[in-house]
């Protein structure tokens, strides 16, 4: 009886120890599982928190890039406006220079014409009536002709009369004070000569070479006594 009781008591102790060990193992397993579950939730939460942060950083960089692009566009626009302004300013300066150059050129031409007229008037004033001007300078005598010029040697035509006028400017005499010995061609359609002298017998004959100037008439270019 004691032996059976002892065996039962021993088995009971063993069962208690075994059950305790099983309980401890289960408790450890539960703790481990709980840790794993909580750790996973923390990781997901951390990742969730980091994702908005990363998104915010990305948005900030995007906004900064957009701001930089706007600033660059504004700078390009200002540069373009500045270049346009400089171009307009340079164009105005060039236009002013051209106008100034044209005005100066016109003034020089007017001054030259005035000087030539004064020289001609002076020569005419110095020329004694009836005395030929052998040295010049001579100027075209003017013309009423228009269009392409054609030299004429027919007495009484405009071209003939203008040749006589050129000879008068050299001789210092009117037509009725001269003897017209001959008027003819001188080697070209726009070149002529006139042989004239003071009216009367025994006077010096002069050979006057004439050249046509478009729009201005016949011009004496040479005078030689024969």
């Amino acid at each position: 009886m004691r032996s059976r009781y002892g065996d039962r008591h021993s088995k009971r102790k063993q069962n208690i120890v075994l059950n305790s060990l099983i309980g401890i193992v289960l408790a450890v397993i539960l703790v481990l599982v709980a840790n794993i579950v909580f750790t996973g939730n923390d990781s997901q939460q951390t990742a969730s928190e980091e994702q908005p942060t990363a998104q915010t950083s990305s948005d900030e960089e995007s906004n900064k890039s957009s701001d930089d692009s706007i600033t660059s566009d504004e700078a390009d626009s200002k540069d373009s406006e500045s270049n346009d302004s400089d171009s307009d300013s340079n164009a105005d300066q060039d236009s002013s220079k051209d106008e100034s150059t044209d005005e100066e050129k016109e003034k020089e031409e007017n001054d030259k014409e005035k000087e030539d007229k004064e020289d001609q008037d002076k020569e005419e004033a110095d020329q004694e009536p009836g005395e030929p001007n052998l040295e010049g300078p001579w100027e075209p005598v003017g013309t009423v002709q228009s269009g392409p010029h054609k030299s004429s040697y027919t007495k009484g035509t405009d071209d003939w009369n203008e040749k006589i006028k050129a000879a008068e400017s050299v001789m210092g005499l009117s037509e009725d004070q001269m003897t017209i010995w001959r008027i003819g061609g001188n080697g070209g359609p726009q070149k002529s000569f006139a042989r004239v002298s003071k009216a009367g017998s025994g006077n010096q004959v002069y050979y006057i070479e004439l050249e046509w100037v478009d729009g201005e008439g016949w011009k004496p270019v040479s005078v030689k006594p024969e």
Side-chain angles (χ1 to χ4, degrees):
M1 292 291 292
R2 290 181 178 176
S3 177
R4 289 180 181 178
Y5 177 81
D7 292 338
R8 289 179 182 175
H9 182 73
S10 177
K11 288 181 179 180
R12 187 179 297 173
K13 285 184 177 181
Q14 291 177 354
N15 289 336
I16 292 171
V17 172
L18 182 61
N19 289 334
S20 298
L21 292 174
I22 292 171
I24 293 170
V25 171
L26 290 175
V28 170
I29 291 172
L30 290 175
V31 171
L32 291 175
V33 170
N35 287 335
I36 291 172
V37 171
F38 289 130
T39 302
N41 290 337
D42 291 341
S43 297
Q44 290 179 357
Q45 183 176 0
T46 302
S48 177
E49 290 176 353
E50 289 177 353
Q51 184 175 1
T53 302
Q55 182 65 35
T56 302
S57 178
S58 177
D59 292 341
E60 290 177 353
E61 290 180 358
S62 177
N63 292 335
K64 182 179 180 182
S65 177
S66 177
D67 292 340
D68 291 342
S69 177
I70 294 173
T71 303
S72 178
D73 291 341
E74 291 176 351
D76 291 341
S77 177
K78 290 181 180 180
D79 290 341
S80 177
E81 292 176 358
S82 177
N83 291 334
D84 291 341
S85 177
D86 292 341
S87 178
D88 293 340
S89 177
N90 291 334
D92 292 340
Q93 291 178 358
D94 292 340
S95 178
S96 299
K97 289 180 180 179
D98 291 340
E99 291 178 359
S100 177
T101 301
D102 291 341
E103 291 176 356
E104 291 176 359
K105 185 176 180 180
E106 183 178 358
K107 184 177 183 299
E108 289 176 358
E109 291 176 354
N110 291 336
D111 291 342
K112 187 176 184 302
E113 290 178 0
K114 183 178 179 181
E115 290 176 1
D116 292 342
K117 184 67 169 58
E118 291 175 352
D119 291 340
Q120 183 179 0
D121 293 342
K122 186 175 183 299
E123 290 292 339
E124 292 176 355
D126 293 341
Q127 184 178 357
E128 295 291 336
E131 292 295 327
N133 177 11
L134 303 179
E135 301 296 333
W138 305 286
E139 296 295 329
V141 295
T143 183
V144 297
Q145 302 177 67
S146 60
H149 176 255
K150 184 177 181 180
S151 190
S152 173
Y153 298 98
T154 301
K155 190 174 182 179
T157 61
D158 288 336
D159 195 68
W160 172 275
N161 291 336
E162 288 172 2
K163 290 184 178 80
I164 297 297
K165 186 176 180 181
E168 290 176 346
S169 70
V170 172
M171 296 299 292
L173 299 170
S174 61
E175 182 179 3
D176 59 0
Q177 294 175 317
M178 297 187 301
T179 298
I180 310 298
W181 296 98
R182 186 182 176 189
I183 294 178
N186 193 30
Q190 309 302 329
K191 295 182 179 182
S192 295
F193 72 88
R195 292 181 69 247
V196 299
S197 66
K198 188 176 180 179
S201 61
N203 290 319
Q204 177 70 53
V205 177
Y206 294 93
Y207 184 88
I208 305 172
E209 293 183 314
L210 307 173
E211 288 186 2
W212 175 260
V213 179
D214 287 337
E216 299 183 36
W218 287 102
K219 175 183 177 180
V221 294
S222 175
V223 180
K224 298 176 183 178
E226 292 185 345

